[in-house]
Amino acid sequence: MTIQILYILLLLLLSAVFSGTETAFTSLTFIQEKDLQSGNGRTGKLAAALAKKPEVLLSTILIGNNLVNIAASAITTSAVIRYYGNYAVGISTGILTLVILIFAEITPKQIAIIHNETICRIMAYPIRGLMWIMYPLIFLINGISSFLTRIFSGKQKNHISQEGIMHAVNIAQIQGTVEDYESTFVQNVFRFDDIDVHTIMTHRTDVFSINGELSLDTVMPKVIKSGFARIPVYGDSPEHIIGILLTRDLLRHILKKEGTRKVSDIIKPPIFVPESRKAHEMFAAFKTNKLHMAIVLDEYGGLSGVVTMEDVIEELFGELYDEHESGAAERILDMENGSFKIMGETSIQQLEDVFDLEVNHSKHIGTVAGLIIEELGTIPGVKQTISTDIGKFTIQSMRGNRIESVTFVPALEPADSEN
């Protein structure tokens, strides 16, 4: 009886080793694999190599684990029948199952999660040895498993997705490893490629521009009052932009007593871009042309608005304010009564990010104002309420036919609305 108990204890120990090794390798993160691979020790490099072959690795460990568990069960059953009779088999099976669960499964796995890199290094050579010994069996089992996997699961995807990275960042934010502003910045970086210039530009109705035929002395007071460093200059009409006036160039010529010259004499050639140009492409264009303002044209070649380097950077870092601006005009403000004040120019992407929504809209619609008009089908009036799938919008203020600001009450989750 003593020899059988020793065999059972040895097999349970091996089962614990296999269970812990399985969890140690499967819990390795991408960074931990890189650390093992870049380490000086051979065991670390071998462990990293084994981790890159999960099918063979798991087959080896699972085959070994099942063999020792079956052996432990067989020896236990044989010994119990020999010494206590058949009636005690059920009791012994229940006790052995509980022992395996606690001492050979749960506990080793919990330890392995904490010390996964160390265990991987220790078990690297033993696991490789088992791979060589059981290679024919592993090859057969993997072949059958791969065939069944292709039938029921299709092609395997082994790439790191954007959703996976954001999920990891969100978990790190919840745990306090990543600050809120860092998580927001990462989120902004990932959606940067999807932002159109049309979404972030200043609309032509809000563009401050000056006539190129005016003298420098004449426009000087207007430029100072505007507070802008770069100003579009038009020719025949405000729709026809012929250049960009830099305030520093204007001041330099004024100081040189050249105030009688026309504005068009000192302007810079403008950059013209379509509304569909992406924000990251606009950033590269600004760097290349060394001019931080571009003229945005619609599909017919007419003036749609202007976009600046500041507009592009704000999509990454949030609103930026200079000495002439007030921080009160945040695009989304919490009213602390379940509602939010939202500026009409707020991008739909920002709305989705803040409220964790997925908004259905046309491709040419990029702002909250455009979303409301698309939903309503006409120009709304002040105090008018529009109900949508994502919540209720109430028009708070208008500027002509443009929606300046709205009040937004998010819709309840479907589960909440049913209760």
Side-chain angles (χ1 to χ4, degrees):
M1 183 65 176
T2 304
I3 191 68
Q4 284 93 344
I5 293 176
L6 291 177
Y7 283 148
I8 294 170
L9 291 176
L10 177 61
L11 291 171
L12 290 176
L13 177 62
L14 290 174
S15 178
V17 170
F18 281 122
S19 297
T21 302
E22 177 191 355
T23 301
F25 275 100
T26 56
S27 65
L28 284 175
T29 64
F30 176 76
I31 297 175
Q32 287 177 318
E33 288 184 22
K34 288 296 182 182
D35 288 340
L36 289 171
Q37 189 174 13
S38 60
N40 296 324
R42 293 182 179 179
T43 55
K45 289 181 173 60
L46 177 58
L50 293 175
K52 291 180 180 179
K53 301 177 181 178
E55 297 86 0
V56 179
L57 174 68
L58 289 177
S59 296
T60 304
I61 295 173
L62 291 175
I63 290 171
N65 200 13
N66 278 281
L67 287 176
V68 296
N69 285 341
I70 292 172
S73 178
I75 293 174
T76 301
T77 302
S78 175
V80 168
I81 292 175
R82 180 178 178 182
Y83 293 102
Y84 300 103
N86 292 334
Y87 73 91
V89 172
I91 298 174
S92 65
T93 301
I95 295 174
L96 181 63
T97 301
L98 184 62
V99 171
I100 290 175
L101 188 63
I102 296 175
F103 297 101
E105 290 291 335
I106 297 177
T107 303
K109 289 179 183 292
Q110 290 179 340
I111 295 173
I113 291 175
I114 301 173
H115 305 287
N116 55 356
E117 288 188 59
T118 302
I119 293 175
C120 288
R121 288 192 183 95
I122 294 173
M123 293 303 299
Y125 279 103
I127 292 298
R128 189 174 68 168
L130 282 176
M131 284 183 179
W132 289 344
I133 295 171
M134 298 188 296
Y135 182 77
L137 183 59
I138 294 171
F139 179 80
L140 175 62
I141 292 176
N142 277 348
I144 298 173
S145 176
S146 298
F147 174 73
L148 295 175
T149 301
R150 283 195 297 270
I151 292 176
F152 295 105
S153 301
K155 188 176 180 181
Q156 185 178 3
K157 297 180 180 179
N158 288 323
H159 63 273
I160 300 175
S161 65
Q162 176 177 325
E163 291 77 13
I165 295 175
M166 283 308 305
H167 181 64
V169 171
N170 289 335
I171 292 175
Q173 181 183 4
I174 294 172
Q175 294 177 343
T177 306
V178 173
E179 298 293 339
D180 291 347
Y181 75 90
E182 293 173 323
S183 176
T184 301
F185 179 70
V186 173
Q187 190 176 54
N188 290 344
V189 168
F190 275 117
R191 69 180 179 85
F192 194 54
D193 288 351
D194 300 324
I195 299 174
D196 295 329
V197 166
H198 174 72
T199 303
I200 63 175
M201 71 177 186
T202 300
H203 192 267
R204 60 185 179 86
T205 56
D206 293 327
V207 172
F208 173 76
S209 59
I210 55 178
N211 193 329
E213 296 300 315
L214 297 177
S215 67
L216 302 186
D217 287 333
T218 302
V219 302
M220 185 64 180
K222 298 179 181 179
V223 171
I224 293 176
K225 184 178 180 180
S226 72
F228 297 123
R230 301 168 187 84
I231 301 170
V233 177
Y234 62 87
D236 300 335
S237 70
E239 301 286 324
H240 178 216
I241 303 299
I242 60 175
I244 305 295
L245 173 65
L246 303 183
T247 302
R248 66 171 183 268
D249 291 344
L250 174 63
L251 292 174
R252 184 167 60 249
H253 285 84
I254 291 291
L255 292 175
K256 289 181 179 179
K257 307 300 182 182
E258 297 179 352
T260 56
R261 298 181 64 179
K262 294 191 300 183
V263 172
S264 59
D265 294 335
I266 64 170
I267 59 177
K268 301 290 184 182
I271 304 172
F272 293 102
V273 298
E275 293 177 326
S276 59
R277 178 69 64 88
K278 298 299 182 182
H280 72 280
E281 296 173 341
M282 199 67 254
F283 183 78
F286 282 141
K287 291 178 62 179
T288 302
N289 292 276
K290 298 181 180 180
L291 185 62
H292 293 179
M293 175 179 282
I295 309 302
V296 183
L297 303 179
D298 60 25
E299 58 183 321
Y300 303 105
L303 177 64
S304 181
V306 298
V307 63
T308 65
M309 176 67 92
E310 180 179 335
D311 295 327
V312 175
I313 293 176
E314 283 180 340
E315 292 305 309
L316 291 175
F317 297 99
E319 294 297 319
L320 303 174
Y321 303 101
D322 58 25
E323 296 83 354
H324 303 283
E325 295 178 307
S326 168
E330 291 287 350
R331 291 181 180 177
I332 299 179
L333 288 176
D334 188 352
M335 306 299 289
E336 297 182 352
N337 60 354
S339 64
F340 298 83
K341 179 183 178 181
I342 302 178
M343 305 305 293
E345 63 185 13
T346 303
S347 69
I348 294 177
Q349 286 178 326
Q350 185 176 356
L351 183 73
E352 291 177 326
D353 292 342
V354 172
F355 297 101
D356 193 21
L357 299 171
E358 186 173 344
V359 182
N360 295 320
H361 61 90
S362 303
K363 291 183 177 180
H364 65 278
I365 298 297
T367 64
V368 170
L371 176 67
I372 294 173
I373 293 176
E374 180 186 47
E375 186 76 23
L376 194 61
T378 184
I379 303 298
V382 178
K383 303 301 181 183
Q384 185 172 350
T385 299
I386 300 93
S387 297
T388 67
D389 294 337
I390 63 173
K392 290 185 178 180
F393 294 92
T394 302
I395 309 302
Q396 192 176 58
S397 62
M398 301 279 294
R399 182 186 296 177
N401 289 330
R402 290 184 59 201
I403 300 175
E404 192 172 44
S405 65
V406 300
T407 300
F408 175 60
V409 180
L412 296 175
E413 296 292 336
D416 294 334
S417 59
E418 293 174 359
N419 294 334

